[in-house]
Amino acid sequence: MTTLVNYAHRGASGNYPENTMIAFEKAIELGATGIETDVQMTKDGKLVLIHDEMLRRTTGVNTLVADMPSDELLQLDAGSWFSPSFKDARIPTLGQLLDLANRTGTIINIELKNGIVPYPGLEQKVIETVRACGMENQVILSSFNHYSLIECKRLAPEIRTGILYMEGLYRPWKYALSIGASALHASHFAVLPDWVAEAAQHGVIYNVFTVNEPAEMKRLIQAGVAGIITDYPERLTNLLNKL
């Protein structure tokens, strides 16, 4: 149980503005051993960490990430929407997070956000950045776009991939193996102990999202999942310490 990865969802996003360096740094302080984040690409091809395709919710700017050049995007206030005390928070680059992870030994789950807005070459750019930082063994690439995951495995067979899905996949471990993925990144509603056990028999693990209630965390730990993605890493840290 103690080897389970405590993934902070967009950093410690329950208490800090999501996908900002302060959210990532605080997550590690709160016991996270992994960080889940989202990567997109600016107009000039810079890899930035933000969940929504539109900048409006977290910066107040009614523009797509894909339509804004990086020199403008990286100056936006990405913290005030959460609290005025975070007005200096900025949207970070993938390189910034990988540098933090390299120093702290943190596992990084990078979700490629290329389902709604297509980003030609996103897989190649992400892989180049991961390799440049020497982080191949500390990264897992995930996406709801499974064609993208196949492309990632073609470009970098040494980097792990995880299939994101909500519910209803029949024997998803067999599907995972068919596209070279080693992990199932499933909604916690789609996880039962028997499925975790059968997946493990095929060498496939479960990293489950997004779990914020300790009772559900405990159920999933007992089910044998390999990782839990949560907005509140401190809750999972406390639970693991008790167990």
Side-chain angles (χ1 to χ4, degrees):
M1 289 184 181
T2 56
T3 59
L4 179 143
V5 181
N6 179 350
Y7 286 102
H9 183 233
R10 310 176 199 171
S13 58
N15 294 304
Y16 300 91
E18 64 182 61
N19 282 330
T20 60
M21 291 307 297
I22 190 169
F24 299 146
E25 292 161 357
K26 291 297 183 180
I28 295 168
E29 290 179 18
L30 294 169
T33 50
I35 288 172
E36 186 274 349
T37 190
D38 312 278
V39 67
Q40 297 190 59
M41 204 152 57
T42 62
K43 186 176 182 179
D44 52 336
K46 193 84 167 180
L47 296 176
V48 292
L49 306 181
I50 182 171
H51 177 269
D52 297 7
E53 290 79 8
M54 184 69 70
L55 289 157
R56 181 174 53 240
R57 178 174 65 89
T58 56
T59 72
V61 178
N62 195 30
T63 303
L64 288 169
V65 174
D67 290 339
M68 181 171 283
S70 60
D71 59 345
E72 296 179 25
L73 183 142
L74 295 174
Q75 295 303 312
L76 296 176
D77 175 357
S80 290
W81 72 275
F82 192 87
S83 167
S85 60
F86 298 117
K87 67 179 178 64
D88 294 326
R90 299 287 182 259
I91 297 170
T93 65
L94 177 58
Q96 285 177 282
L97 176 57
L98 292 179
D99 179 64
L100 174 65
N102 201 14
R103 289 185 279 108
T104 57
T106 309
I107 298 169
I108 303 298
N109 170 19
I110 304 170
E111 180 183 344
L112 280 67
K113 295 290 291 185
N114 52 358
I116 295 174
V117 175
Y119 291 105
L122 179 64
E123 298 90 352
Q124 180 71 51
K125 282 181 173 285
V126 169
I127 287 165
E128 287 174 354
T129 303
V130 170
R131 284 175 169 166
C133 295
M135 295 284 289
E136 296 95 326
N137 294 326
Q138 252 173 270
V139 161
I140 183 165
L141 304 176
S142 64
S143 183
F144 283 101
N145 181 344
H146 300 171
Y147 288 95
S148 185
L149 296 180
I150 292 171
E151 178 66 3
C152 287
K153 291 305 290 187
R154 186 187 71 80
L155 293 169
E158 77 278 14
I159 298 178
R160 294 171 293 164
T161 56
I163 293 172
L164 274 164
Y165 68 100
M166 295 300 295
E167 58 188 21
L169 283 185
Y170 179 66
R171 294 183 176 174
W173 44 90
K174 290 192 174 183
Y175 172 53
L177 292 173
S178 76
I179 67 169
S182 58
L184 297 165
H185 289 208
S187 165
H188 64 99
F189 298 111
V191 181
L192 294 176
D194 290 348
W195 300 346
V196 176
E198 189 165 353
Q201 290 173 8
H202 291 81
V204 177
I205 63 171
Y206 273 88
N207 294 319
V208 187
F209 70 93
T210 301
V211 189
N212 291 330
E213 296 304 321
E216 182 68 349
M217 291 175 179
K218 185 175 181 179
R219 179 186 78 83
L220 293 163
I221 293 167
Q222 292 172 340
V225 302
I228 292 176
I229 299 169
T230 178
D231 297 329
Y232 299 95
E234 70 278 10
R235 296 180 185 177
L236 183 52
T237 299
N238 292 337
L239 182 59
L240 289 170
N241 287 338
K242 289 178 182 177
L243 293 174

